[in-house]
Amino acid sequence: NARTYTDCMLMTASRRIVKDVDAVFGFIERPYNPVTFKELLVSPNVMRNRFVSIINEVIRKSREGLPASIKIKINHITDRMMVKKLYEAAEAGVEIDLLVRGNCSLVVRDNPRIRITGIIDRFLEHSRIFIFTVGNEERVFIGSADWMTRNLDNRVEVVTPIYDPDIKAEMKRIVEYGLRDNMQGRIVDGMGENNFRFKEGDTPFRSQEELYKEYYNENECYTAPQAGQTNPGEEGTDDV
């Protein structure tokens, strides 16, 4: 079993996000009071409907002829409605790539538009990342919820949009590295064979190892700022 897990955390001073965060804690304290979330996707209130709405928009744009894709890194996908929406999106021409560490209810052996990879490696990966792309428009989210009925309907879970370009790029890198993994990545197609993605002649690529190397090198290059100074890219912002 993995002794160390990985996750993603957003630290932000964005007023529009922290206002919703405050509303989440208010909802937990007083669940009987009406509450509205403008930025965050919160279950059991609005998360399911918001995800369905986003997927419906991707489907609509794909049917209009725009290139569209959905990329998700998650632990489990078992909720019937979300599984159905992914099938519907694929039928509409949306390219779908999933990283699913645990339970997955999709059967996709004969579906060329849905590709699923499962990775079990040194670190227990715990992040959930959602990337919806239509044309040149891209929406990126991170959060706590799997696509299971218990998470969408029976728990308080939160997913936040990512606006900062650098953070969005980092989330995309994590997902892309996982999709490239041919050493620990296994094909998940519902048939239960779980074959490795590595093929003879492929260049070996192990996502956790490559990410570890890059984070280590980035940390080695980091110089602690003096009092009153900031490192490049750390200037304050209200849009992350």
Side-chain angles (χ1 to χ4, degrees):
N1 293 333
R3 296 183 179 181
T4 306
Y5 79 94
T6 68
D7 208 339
C8 297
M9 177 181 67
L10 176 68
M11 300 182 69
T12 180
S14 172
R15 291 179 179 84
R16 52 184 173 171
I17 291 180
V18 298
K19 185 176 181 180
D20 270 9
V21 172
D22 183 63
V24 170
F25 285 101
F27 167 69
I28 293 172
E29 291 179 353
R30 299 175 296 278
Y32 44 81
N33 285 347
V35 61
T36 300
F37 301 101
K38 294 183 178 179
E39 292 289 331
L40 300 180
L41 283 63
V42 181
S43 66
N45 306 65
V46 297
M47 185 182 292
R48 176 190 292 279
N49 289 341
R50 291 282 295 279
F51 270 131
V52 169
S53 178
I54 291 169
I55 295 174
N56 284 340
E57 179 67 9
V58 173
I59 290 172
R60 185 177 71 83
K61 293 292 186 179
S62 179
R63 287 174 174 163
E64 291 176 358
L66 289 174
S69 68
I70 296 173
K71 295 180 180 179
I72 297 173
K73 181 181 183 297
I74 202 167
N75 287 353
H76 309 285
I77 299 180
T78 60
D79 182 80
R80 288 187 177 183
M81 180 181 292
M82 303 315 296
V83 169
K84 181 179 178 181
K85 295 308 296 185
L86 290 176
Y87 284 143
E88 183 181 343
E91 291 174 1
V94 179
E95 297 293 337
I96 300 173
D97 289 284
L98 308 175
L99 290 169
V100 185
R101 195 194 77 206
N103 299 314
C104 182
S105 296
L106 288 94
V107 180
V108 298
R109 167 162 285 188
D110 298 321
N111 194 322
R113 296 196 183 277
I114 304 180
R115 297 161 292 274
I116 309 175
T117 298
I119 298 174
I120 303 294
D121 204 350
R122 175 183 176 186
F123 304 112
L124 181 65
E125 300 191 46
H126 204 59
S127 57
R128 284 86 165 179
I129 303 171
F130 308 86
I131 305 170
F132 303 93
T133 306
V134 175
N136 295 322
E137 297 181 6
E138 190 172 65
R139 304 179 70 180
V140 178
F141 300 82
I142 65 171
S144 64
D146 289 315
W147 281 1
M148 305 178 74
T149 303
R150 70 180 188 186
N151 300 93
L152 297 172
D153 296 338
N154 301 322
R155 292 182 179 178
V156 177
E157 305 267 9
V158 177
V159 168
T160 180
I162 300 295
Y163 295 114
D164 181 85
D166 291 336
I167 301 176
K168 289 174 72 172
E170 175 59 25
M171 297 303 101
K172 289 167 58 180
R173 176 170 67 164
I174 293 172
V175 174
E176 292 296 340
Y177 275 31
L179 296 175
R180 287 174 56 190
D181 196 319
N182 57 19
M183 298 301 292
Q184 295 298 119
R186 295 175 180 267
I187 298 171
V188 179
D189 57 10
M191 297 296 106
E193 297 176 359
N194 294 317
N195 294 319
F196 282 108
R197 288 203 171 277
F198 185 82
K199 297 178 181 179
E200 187 175 353
D202 285 351
T203 300
F205 188 88
R206 185 176 174 184
S207 59
Q208 289 192 1
E209 186 175 88
E210 295 302 320
L211 284 169
Y212 183 93
K213 289 178 182 177
E214 293 197 18
Y215 292 144
Y216 181 85
N217 290 334
E218 290 170 4
N219 188 62
E220 287 290 294
C221 294
Y222 177 84
T223 302
Q226 300 298 317
Q229 297 179 335
T230 60
N231 273 309
E234 290 188 344
E235 290 79 9
T237 178
D238 188 46
D239 193 25
V240 298

